[in-house]
């Protein structure tokens, strides 16, 4: 894993571009403490920067930005391509300079072209690629959105980077907040793609390629992989339950095996839950040595899951380290969160994720994680609650439900009173999200949902109306982010899963993991989010999830 950044100006900048590039690189040093690199086009308008965390091929032959063998392509790349050894065989070429996945990526792009090469990559990646022949800039992000990539255009200069702090270092950056992003954050607890907290900056959507022929040109992104298309084109598994389980286990074992390839120590996060325990179990089968595992414990028993992790570690025979966290540890970390995350994130688990990352980094450079299982296999308890509550709500006659929707607005005014706020909090246990001012009105609004998917969509969104001014909400559109638009032909559970796979997972969970781990130069790999596993999960009958 690494940090990437750069910019491309339509004209030679009036500022000193190399000094600007150095500032941008310096903001990402935590992501890649082992090496730095920079590359500039001879015309002085295009500049690539890179900070390296050395994981595969620790030699100078893995240095980036890297130029392809023919000299046509230049790449600055963050991530790992786990099937690079297999790609080597498919490419049939020889004379490799080193044994890095980056070199194989460039060879694949030279031989197959960008779109076809990316379709062959099994990994987690974000990269910028410059075609020196056709004078085209490509920005590419992996299928699920495991690795981040921001970009923005300012005064006919396109600027990109792994984190917003790199873009903010550019002299032409505009610090205007996005009203839509603010409202969405207050409702969701994160900023959904393609938005960022800044008006002129976007996240490149997962599974997309941006192709730019000149700075200032209209930016269009093209998908090379789509979760919606995977779901729409799936072929349900027709085997027995035992065959389905065996096929999944074989796929997961292969995914874990591929993610153990590294020239540095590898460990695992172990919470004691199903997903991390499964990944750790498969690691113990695929690893040659003893697996190192890490977990966080809390003094408050109601929050402490460490006994489960300890039991699993003992059963599997791992070399386990558990750190008990105090309130002082958490308070010390709070002041670092704005620097670490760059834009608002209201996921409380960012704190233990940061702490377990710091714990693991003392012993390993790479850690495997169990993220993704809930979205793929229906593990969130809110799925079960939403289905149960909707069964009750759907029995209310549709006319009464439409009337409830109309009553929700006036009810919000009632909640500004002390009695109204107390009533809201009293309802907290019956909601899909924690209670806050405005929840009583939202509870009534939930009753007015037309179908289960609308019920879930409203249930996971807080009522930001009580937290935002009318002027701010007036600047925000009523349109839902792309991931929250309705789906045809899916069950209620599948609609919830696909919504979370396209938004909550990449924009909350994976943001949390990436920033927390890369802040201490720890690479986290996610076997459950191998795209083959994701695609297979949609072939599994719902009754088995």
């Amino acid at each position: 894993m690494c940090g990437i950044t750069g910019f491309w100006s339509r004209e030679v900048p009036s500022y000193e571009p190399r000094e600007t590039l150095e500032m941008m690189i310096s903001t990402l040093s935590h992501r890649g403490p082992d090496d730095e690199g920079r590359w500039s086009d001879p015309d002085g308008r295009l500049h690539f920067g890179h900070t390296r965390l050395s994981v595969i091929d620790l030699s100078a032959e893995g240095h980036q930005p890297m130029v392809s063998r023919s000299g046509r392509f230049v790449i600055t790349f963050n991530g790992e391509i786990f099937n690079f050894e297999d790609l080597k065989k498919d490419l049939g070429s020889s004379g490799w300079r080193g044994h890095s996945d980056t070199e194989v990526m460039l060879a694949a792009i030279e031989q197959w072209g960008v779109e076809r090469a990316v379709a062959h990559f099994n990994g987690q990646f974000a990269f910028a690629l410059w075609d020196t022949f056709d004078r085209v800039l490509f920005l590419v992000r992996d299928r699920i959105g495991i690795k981040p990539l921001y970009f923005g255009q300012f005064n006919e200069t396109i600027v990109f980077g792994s984190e917003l702090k790199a873009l903010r270092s550019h002299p032409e950056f505009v610090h205007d907040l996005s009203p839509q992003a603010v409202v969405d954050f207050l409702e969701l607890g994160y900023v959904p793609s393609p938005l960022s907290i800044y008006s002129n900056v976007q996240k490149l959507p997962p599974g997309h390629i941006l192709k730019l022929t000149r700075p200032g040109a209209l930016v269009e992104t093209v998908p090379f992989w789509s979760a919606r298309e995977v779901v729409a084109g799936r072929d349900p598994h027709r085997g027995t339950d035992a065959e389905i389980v065996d096929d999944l286990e074989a796929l997961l074992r292969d995914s874990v095996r591929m993610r153990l390839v590294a020239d540095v120590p590898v460990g695992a996060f172990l919470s004691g839950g199903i997903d991390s325990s499964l990944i750790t179990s498969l690691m113990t089968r695929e690893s040659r040595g003893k697996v190192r595992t890490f977990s966080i414990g809390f003094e408050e028993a109601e929050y402490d899951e460490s006994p489960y992790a300890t039991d699993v570690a003992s059963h599997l025979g791992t070399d386990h380290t558990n750190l008990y966290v105090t309130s002082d540890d958490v308070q010390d970390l709070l002041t670092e969160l704005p620097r670490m995350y760059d834009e608002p994130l209201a996921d409380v688990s960012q704190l233990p994720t940061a702490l377990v990352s710091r714990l693991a980094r003392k012993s390993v450079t790479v850690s495997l994680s169990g993220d993704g299982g809930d979205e793929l296999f229906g593990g969130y308890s809110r799925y079960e609650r939403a289905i149960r509550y909707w069964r009750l709500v759907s029995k209310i006659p549709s006319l009464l439900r439409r009337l409830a929707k109309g009553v929700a607005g006036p009810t919000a005014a009632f909640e500004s009173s002390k009695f109204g706020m107390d009533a809201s909090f009293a309802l907290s246990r019956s909601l899909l999200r924690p209670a806050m001012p405005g929840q009583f009105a939202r509870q009534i609004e939930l009753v007015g949902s037309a179908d289960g998917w609308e019920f879930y969509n409203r249930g996971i969104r807080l009522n930001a109306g009580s937290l935002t001014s009318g002027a701010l909400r007036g600047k925000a559109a009523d349109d839902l982010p792309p991931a929250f638009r309705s789906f045809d032909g899916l069950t209620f559970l599948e609609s919830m899963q696909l919504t979370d796979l396209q938004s909550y997972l990449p924009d909350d969970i994976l943001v949390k993991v990436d920033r927390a781990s890369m802040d201490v130069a720890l690479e986290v790999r996610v076997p459950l989010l191998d795209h083959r596993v994701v695609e297979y999960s949609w072939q599994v009958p719902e009754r088995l999830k």
Side-chain angles (χ1 to χ4, degrees):
M1 296 299 172
C2 308
I4 65 172
T5 190
F7 56 97
W8 185 21
S9 303
R10 187 167 186 176
E11 305 293 340
V12 176
S14 58
Y15 50 85
E16 176 48 54
R18 285 181 172 79
E19 290 181 5
T20 296
L21 184 64
E22 291 302 322
M23 287 190 297
M24 296 172 72
I25 291 172
S26 69
T27 67
L28 301 176
S29 59
H30 56 282
R31 297 185 70 93
D34 298 328
D35 189 21
E36 288 183 0
R38 62 275 301 156
W39 180 91
S40 296
D41 192 65
D43 70 2
R45 297 186 296 121
L46 175 71
H47 305 270
F48 279 1
H50 190 267
T51 62
R52 183 185 182 194
L53 175 62
S54 301
V55 173
I56 294 176
D57 192 349
L58 310 186
S59 74
E61 298 300 338
H63 177 81
Q64 292 188 53
M66 185 179 291
V67 181
S68 67
R69 191 177 304 177
S70 71
R72 175 174 180 174
F73 294 102
V74 185
I75 194 171
T76 180
F77 161 54
N78 169 33
E80 302 286 354
I81 305 300
F82 301 116
N83 63 333
F84 73 100
E85 291 289 359
D86 292 332
L87 292 177
K88 268 187 178 181
K89 300 173 185 176
D90 294 338
L91 290 166
S93 55
S94 59
W96 302 97
R97 297 188 299 255
H99 64 276
S100 73
D101 53 343
T102 312
E103 187 179 359
V104 176
M105 290 174 69
L106 284 170
I109 290 168
E110 285 208 308
Q111 185 163 321
W112 298 328
V114 177
E115 291 82 358
R116 186 181 167 201
V118 170
H120 281 76
F121 295 162
N122 183 330
Q124 48 194 64
F125 51 85
F127 64 87
L129 180 80
W130 175 241
D131 184 339
T132 64
F133 290 7
D134 294 337
R135 310 291 293 176
V136 173
L137 175 67
F138 296 90
L139 300 181
V140 185
R141 191 177 179 200
D142 67 63
R143 296 169 178 85
I144 312 300
I146 302 173
K147 291 292 99 185
L149 187 52
Y150 293 90
F151 70 94
Q153 294 213 61
F154 309 96
N155 297 326
E156 297 192 324
T157 296
I158 187 165
V159 186
F160 67 87
S162 298
E163 297 181 17
L164 282 170
K165 54 179 64 70
L167 280 71
R168 288 200 304 265
S169 298
H170 194 279
E172 294 186 306
F173 186 85
V174 179
H175 292 74
D176 291 342
L177 294 183
S178 164
Q180 184 70 60
V182 172
V183 171
D184 284 344
F185 163 71
L186 291 172
E187 291 193 336
L188 293 168
Y190 59 89
V191 178
S193 294
L195 300 176
S196 83
I197 197 62
Y198 297 108
S199 294
N200 290 54
V201 177
Q202 298 180 48
K203 302 180 184 83
L204 183 64
H208 277 66
I209 299 174
L210 183 155
K211 181 179 179 181
L212 199 66
T213 55
R214 62 176 175 81
L218 180 65
V219 171
E220 294 185 3
T221 61
V222 178
F224 66 88
W225 187 91
S226 165
R228 286 190 183 228
E229 290 183 3
V230 166
V231 175
R234 61 184 163 166
D235 183 16
H237 199 300
R238 304 189 187 282
T240 65
D241 289 1
E243 289 171 337
I244 292 171
V245 171
D246 289 344
D247 289 348
L248 176 60
E249 181 175 1
L251 193 55
L252 284 172
R253 288 190 67 165
D254 188 57
S255 177
V256 168
R257 177 190 58 77
M258 293 172 69
R259 284 156 180 80
L260 292 177
V261 176
D263 297 329
V264 293
V266 180
F269 294 158
L270 179 59
S271 69
I274 292 174
D275 299 334
S276 66
S277 300
L278 171 61
I279 296 304
T280 303
S281 175
L282 294 174
M283 280 183 72
T284 60
R285 301 186 200 180
E286 300 296 327
S287 298
R288 295 178 181 176
K290 200 168 190 178
V291 172
R292 306 194 70 162
T293 52
F294 308 91
S295 65
I296 293 292
F298 295 93
E299 295 175 334
E300 296 83 3
E302 62 268 30
Y303 299 113
D304 185 24
E305 297 181 342
S306 62
Y308 302 109
T310 301
D311 286 347
V312 173
S314 176
H315 174 72
L316 296 175
T318 70
D319 182 359
H320 188 63
T321 303
N322 186 63
L323 173 67
Y324 275 89
V325 178
T326 67
S327 57
D328 289 339
D329 295 326
V330 173
Q331 290 180 32
D332 291 343
L333 182 60
L334 284 174
T335 58
E336 298 185 46
L337 296 183
R339 171 194 59 77
M340 191 184 304
Y341 285 93
D342 275 335
E343 62 182 353
L345 180 67
D347 189 327
V348 68
S349 63
Q350 63 189 287
L351 295 164
T353 304
L355 291 168
V356 76
S357 295
R358 295 180 179 195
L359 174 66
R361 188 61 176 94
K362 295 177 182 178
S363 305
V364 299
T365 307
V366 175
S367 181
L368 270 58
S369 167
D371 292 301
D374 289 315
E375 289 82 1
L376 300 185
F377 296 99
Y380 287 125
S381 59
R382 65 173 180 262
Y383 293 160
E384 185 275 331
R385 292 201 306 274
I387 292 171
R388 176 159 43 93
Y389 295 155
W390 175 244
R391 283 178 185 151
L392 298 175
V393 170
S394 63
K395 294 178 181 178
I396 300 173
S398 58
L399 176 60
L400 293 180
R401 283 194 272 127
R402 287 197 297 271
L403 289 173
K405 185 184 296 187
V407 171
T411 305
F414 158 77
E415 291 195 83
S416 61
S417 67
K418 171 92 168 48
F419 178 78
M421 295 181 82
D422 290 343
S424 291
F425 282 98
L427 289 167
S428 62
R429 290 186 179 276
S430 66
L431 298 168
L432 301 181
R433 291 285 299 265
M436 62 182 299
Q439 294 298 71
F440 189 44
R442 191 172 70 90
Q443 186 80 341
I444 296 176
E445 190 177 39
L446 282 173
V447 174
S449 300
D451 53 33
W453 181 86
E454 185 179 344
F455 181 82
Y456 181 69
N457 178 51
R458 288 178 174 175
I460 60 175
R461 297 174 74 90
L462 298 171
N463 184 356
S466 61
L467 302 176
T468 57
S469 68
L472 178 62
R473 290 197 65 82
K475 294 179 181 178
D478 292 331
D479 292 343
L480 294 172
F484 290 88
R485 294 168 191 162
S486 60
F487 314 105
D488 295 327
L490 299 185
T491 68
F492 187 14
L493 174 61
E494 290 173 336
S495 294
M496 292 188 285
Q497 288 180 266
L498 187 53
T499 296
D500 288 342
L501 178 62
Q502 293 184 116
S503 186
Y504 179 62
L505 179 66
D507 296 331
D508 182 312
I509 301 299
L510 296 176
V511 168
K512 172 192 67 179
V513 174
D514 176 81
R515 304 306 189 278
S517 59
M518 292 307 293
D519 190 60
V520 291
L522 176 72
E523 175 178 310
V524 174
R525 298 174 175 178
V526 198
L528 285 166
L529 294 181
D530 183 310
H531 71 276
R532 299 171 302 166
V533 178
V534 174
E535 292 168 358
Y536 184 84
S537 73
W538 288 98
Q539 300 175 22
V540 174
E542 187 172 297
R543 61 184 172 77
L544 293 182
K545 293 185 178 181

